[in-house]
Amino acid sequence: MNNTITAVPGIKVGHYTDLQAITGCTVILVEDGAVAGVCVSGSAPGTRETDLLKTGNLVQQVHAILLTGGSAFGLDAAAGVMQFLEEKNIGFQTDTITVPIVPSAVIYDLDIGNPHIRPNKEAGYIASSNATTQEVIQGSVGAGTGAMVGKGAGKNYSMKSGVGSSLIDLGKGILVGALSVVNATGDIYENGEIIAGAIDENNKFLDIYNLMKKRMFRANPGENTTLSVVATNARLTKEWANKIAQVANDGFARTIKPVHSLFDGDTVFCISTGNVEVDFFDISLISQVAAEAIEKSIINAVKHAQKIDGHLTYSDLF
C-alpha cells in the first residue's frame, strides 16, 4: 500500500539528487491544477509565488510546488519545472500563452557539499520528468539530499535528515497526505523523546532547547528550514487551503524543538486536488489531521535518512 502523498489523486512527486554536490530538489506536480494556500511561519524564508496564494489574488490554481536546496539560488530550478509544464501546455491561460504556476520554497544546504553547485533549471526539469504516482522515495534524496537537523549546535554536531512523506485516510473517500523536507535548527522528537538532532562525540543528544536557554545556541540566520506540502482530495476554497496550511504548522511544533525561530524559514503549502465534497466539520478535521500528517512525515524524514559526508543518521543510533 502507498502510504505517501502520491496516494492522493492528482499528485505526482519527482526528485533530482546530486550526491556529489550534496543538494537537490523535489517537485510535487499537480498537472490538472490544484487550489492552494500557504503559511510561512519562519522568519528567514526563501520563497517564490507565495503572495499569489493569498486570498483575494487572481490566480486560483497552481500546477506544481517546488521544494529545493541551494538557498535562494535554488529558486532557479522553478524555471525548469515551468518549462516542463509549458511543453505540456499546462498552466494559467492568458490570451497569448500558458503560464505554469509554480510556488517554491528553499532550504539552506550550502554548509554541506559544494556550495557553488545548486539546483538549477536543468535540475527542476529532471525532477519534473521523474515525477510519478508511485510511493515517494524517502530519505536523503531530492530537496532532502543536504538536509540536516540539530543545526543549532553547529554543523559538526548535527545529524543527517531528508525527505519524508505520510498518508492518512479519513474515510468518506477523503485522503490527506504530507511531504516534508527537514533541515531544522532544532532536534526532532517522537513521543516526547529526541530521536535526531545535535549529538556529541559519545552519541548523546545535546538538547538544542536547553542550549538555547543557556545561550549556547550557534545557529546562523537563514540557514535552517523545514518545508512541508499537505495535499488532500477534498474540495477546498483558497480560503480553506490557507487555513489548513496555518493549522498544519502544529505538526512542526509537535516534532521540532525549538521551532519557527528567527533562524528558520519554515513554510507549509496546502493543495486541494479533488472533488470530494466536504462540510465545515470535515474541513476542521482535515486541518487537524494535516498537522498529524506533517508530524509523521517529519519523523519519516529522519528515520529514512542515509549517511552522507560522515554525518550520523537515525539508523546509526537506533
Side-chain angles (χ1 to χ4, degrees):
M1 181 180 293
N2 182 356
N3 287 313
T4 66
I5 195 172
T6 48
V8 177
I11 298 288
K12 294 181 179 179
V13 171
H15 298 303
Y16 167 83
T17 302
D18 184 338
L19 289 175
Q20 290 187 318
I22 315 183
T23 191
C25 61
T26 297
V27 175
I28 299 90
L29 284 185
V30 280
E31 295 171 313
D32 292 332
V35 173
V38 68
C39 178
V40 180
S41 53
S43 296
T47 56
R48 177 183 186 272
E49 297 272 42
T50 50
D51 278 353
L52 176 147
L53 303 182
K54 294 178 181 178
T55 57
N57 289 341
L58 174 66
V59 174
Q60 296 299 305
Q61 290 193 322
V62 305
H63 307 97
I65 303 287
L66 169 71
L67 309 179
T68 180
S71 190
F73 297 105
L75 291 172
D76 284 349
V81 183
M82 291 186 69
Q83 179 184 342
F84 177 86
L85 291 167
E86 184 184 22
E87 289 175 358
K88 293 186 151 195
N89 198 36
I90 294 171
F92 178 80
Q93 187 63 55
T94 71
D95 286 342
T96 55
I97 198 169
T98 299
V99 182
I101 306 300
V102 185
S104 309
V106 307
I107 67 166
Y108 183 97
D109 58 1
L110 304 180
D111 47 1
I112 184 172
N114 187 338
H116 302 291
I117 298 177
R118 288 86 59 161
N120 56 15
K121 182 177 181 179
E122 180 183 7
Y125 190 93
I126 293 171
S128 301
S129 302
N130 289 338
T132 74
T133 58
Q134 296 177 3
E135 186 171 354
V136 174
I137 300 171
Q138 301 178 75
S140 304
V141 296
T145 305
M148 309 288 291
V149 292
K151 299 178 79 174
K155 179 181 71 172
N156 293 335
Y157 297 96
S158 57
M159 285 178 60
K160 197 70 194 70
S161 181
V163 173
S165 189
S166 67
L167 181 78
I168 298 175
D169 187 338
L170 295 183
K172 293 177 59 177
I174 302 172
L175 298 174
V176 178
L179 182 147
S180 295
V181 181
V182 186
N183 189 56
T185 298
D187 300 312
I188 307 303
Y189 287 73
E190 183 179 26
N191 299 322
E193 300 292 332
I194 300 174
I195 62 170
I199 194 163
D200 67 15
E201 59 274 5
N202 297 314
N203 291 349
K204 300 295 183 182
F205 290 117
L206 295 172
D207 192 330
I208 293 291
Y209 183 56
N210 277 331
L211 290 181
M212 177 180 275
K213 288 193 290 185
K214 294 175 182 178
R215 290 175 170 79
M216 298 171 64
F217 194 59
R218 300 180 184 175
N220 293 318
E223 297 186 8
N224 322 271
T225 287
T226 299
L227 308 174
S228 292
V229 177
V230 171
T232 180
N233 59 338
R235 179 180 288 179
L236 301 177
T237 63
K238 203 171 181 181
E239 290 82 356
W240 290 124
N242 276 282
K243 182 61 179 178
I244 289 170
Q246 179 189 28
V247 176
N249 267 282
D250 289 352
F252 286 18
R254 294 173 191 170
T255 52
I256 304 170
K257 187 178 179 180
V259 70
H260 302 332
S261 75
L262 295 176
F263 304 92
D264 294 293
D266 298 340
T267 301
V268 175
F269 296 96
C270 174
I271 52 179
S272 165
T273 64
N275 291 307
V276 178
E277 295 294 341
V278 291
D279 56 25
F280 288 139
F281 177 83
D282 291 324
I283 292 169
S284 181
L285 175 60
I286 290 167
S287 67
Q288 299 301 315
V289 168
E292 180 185 352
I294 283 181
E295 178 183 4
K296 291 181 176 181
S297 67
I298 289 171
I299 291 169
N300 283 337
V302 298
K303 286 189 173 181
H304 286 84
Q306 294 88 33
K307 183 175 284 187
I308 295 178
D309 201 35
H311 291 276
L312 290 177
T313 67
Y314 173 88
S315 61
D316 291 323
L317 303 181
F318 301 98

